[in-house]
Amino acid sequence: MVDQVATLPSSREFNPWPVGIFICLLVLACLFLAPTIGVMLSSIKTTREIAEGGLWDIPTRLFLGNFVEVLANPAVHRYFLNTFLVTVPATAASIALGVLAGYVFSKLPFWGSNLLFLVLISGMFFPPQVILIPLFQFFNSLGLIDTLWPIIFIHTALGIPICTLLMRNFFATVPNSLREAAILEGANEFQVLTRVALPLSLPALAVLATLQFTWIWNDFLWPLIFTQSDEKRTIMVGIVNLKGQYSVAWGVQGALSLVASLPTLIVFLFFQRYFIKGMTMGAVKG
Amino acid sequence: MEKSAWIWRVVFLAAPVAVFSILVLWPLFSSFFYSFTNWNGFNPNYKFVGFDNYAKIWTDRLFLNAIINTFVWMVAAILLPTLLGLGFALLIDSNVPGGKVFKSIFYLPICLSAVVVGQIWTWIYQPDWGLLNTLINFFLAEPLNYPWLAKPDTSLGSVIIAWSWQQTGLSMVIYLAGLTSISEELLEVCEIEGTSTWQKIRLVLVPLLTPATVVVIALSVINSLKGFDILYIMTGGGPFHSSDTLAMHMYNESFKKYMMGYGSAISVVLFLLALVIIGIYFRELRRLDEIYG
């Protein structure tokens, strides 16, 4: 800001830096976008065009057959439905649990609450493979293998650390005087939480909703372990399975990837601010 | 008053603590338990085998191979996204026009799934029409149909580049957040003193970004330990186990060969590795707190 004001009136010397930096960034951005653009290009070409002209040429005409093929495939509908059935409840549940725990750690601390907080947070750091086998054993004994339940439960549990952390940090910014005033008026803690603290925490809830939605939607490991039949597959495991069916139909594969990424891309486009904030908040405070 | 506060603490904490204990803490400890058995995943009549699984680790050539690959993977997965992220952040922070758009472009891959990133990059490395070989052939007389992912020499490195492409955006936004916290006055002093841009970066910005660097490196380490999906999609650990990491090896032993006891022992090693890293991370954080307040 300061630089711009200072350089605008005086054109004494030509400063090559901004132009150089801009060109540098432009080249890097093109390199960074190339992989994604390749998939987009492939999705609007026929298999024949790809076979003849290569995947990376600019197509002469728009071919939507790949998307028609993908969107008409009943398996894709099922994968989408399953993924929503996992992602929405797990996102909601993990945030709800994080709100409850975060409220206690922020507004009702007690002896040992810091230690308990650290134990909950530590869950963020461990590779999921560490708990894979016992969880498989556990849900197997409950007869829940090849259902969506284990995936919902596990994502709820694995979301507790980040949700608790962010909600605790956010509730810390809600003035204690507001809570005390509400208590004096005869409100109990639950009413303080739902009527005072939560309405002030909508930005934090938005951050968590975008983060959790994206992570759970994109997850591959848990549905890979816990689902076996095609009926129960989520979209990410599903598109890997469909690869065999469309082994040389590169265009269909590209369209599949795009369609599968659409919900998270939409979330990214509209809630980018929250997404980045959540990533940096979770990281810096970790 | 105090009594009712305790009731609310218990009511509020009951569900989160219960869910977390049952689905994260208890499995964590069970892993230790299973690592001393020969359980195959289905037969309830497993036996205790003492430290046999851990003894086996040291004779398992594939395990040692996986350890080496994990370290290669971790070092590269730390260096590349950290350096690239720092570079991008410095470029974008220089008030360049369209900075926001560039930021979004570099950040976009983070919201793609490992499955999709894996597929995108598998196409780039495709021997016949992949982008990489197409670009190389542009400069060569003889077409090079090198199968990057199917050769043991290049499989791991190729996946690392794909992984870095996805992770760089994360390091970049953390560095950008760190850069905005550096005071304008300090930068103005640099301006007045006539420091060169390179001096400013080397002597002022990078040292002041130390807290951001600690966070970036810690996240890179943690994420790279979790790195499984993209390897599974792109190489499946192959060819000839050339891209097997600990997480991949553990999956193969447990869910392909059904040696859950041995798989548990590998996961315990993975856990201890993560524990050491988390310990270093928290120590560094505390040290930074003391220095920077």
Side-chain angles (χ1 to χ4, degrees), chain B residues 190-250:
Chain B
C190 293
E191 204 83 5
I192 294 164
E193 295 286 330
T195 42
S196 73
T197 308
W198 177 239
Q199 279 175 320
K200 195 173 87 180
I201 290 173
R202 197 169 56 94
L203 300 173
V204 180
L205 294 182
V206 170
L208 283 177
L209 284 174
T210 309
T213 305
V214 170
V215 172
V216 167
I217 290 180
L219 273 186
S220 307
V221 173
I222 291 158
N223 285 340
S224 66
L225 272 179
K226 293 179 183 175
F228 165 83
D229 304 10
I230 196 166
L231 281 163
Y232 183 94
I233 298 294
M234 288 182 74
T235 65
F240 311 115
H241 300 281
S242 58
S243 54
D244 248 358
T245 58
L246 273 184
M248 199 72 223
H249 188 51
M250 180 264 166

Side-chain angles (χ1 to χ4, degrees), chain A residues 88-168:
Chain A
V88 174
T91 301
S94 60
I95 295 175
L97 296 182
V99 163
L100 290 171
Y103 183 81
V104 174
F105 291 127
S106 158
K107 295 293 172 217
L108 297 168
F110 53 94
W111 189 87
S113 67
N114 264 337
L115 183 67
L116 185 60
F117 175 68
L118 276 181
V119 169
L120 282 184
I121 296 308
S122 69
M124 235 166 15
F125 296 98
F126 294 116
Q129 282 79 11
V130 175
I131 54 174
L132 200 60
I133 291 172
L135 282 177
F136 182 79
Q137 213 291 346
F138 177 65
F139 285 108
N140 193 22
S141 69
L142 293 178
L144 290 176
I145 300 294
D146 204 28
T147 68
L148 298 176
W149 290 109
I151 315 172
I152 298 173
F153 282 127
I154 291 169
H155 275 300
T156 303
L158 291 177
I160 289 175
I162 182 78
C163 294
T164 305
L165 173 69
L166 255 67
M167 288 319 295
R168 185 197 76 144

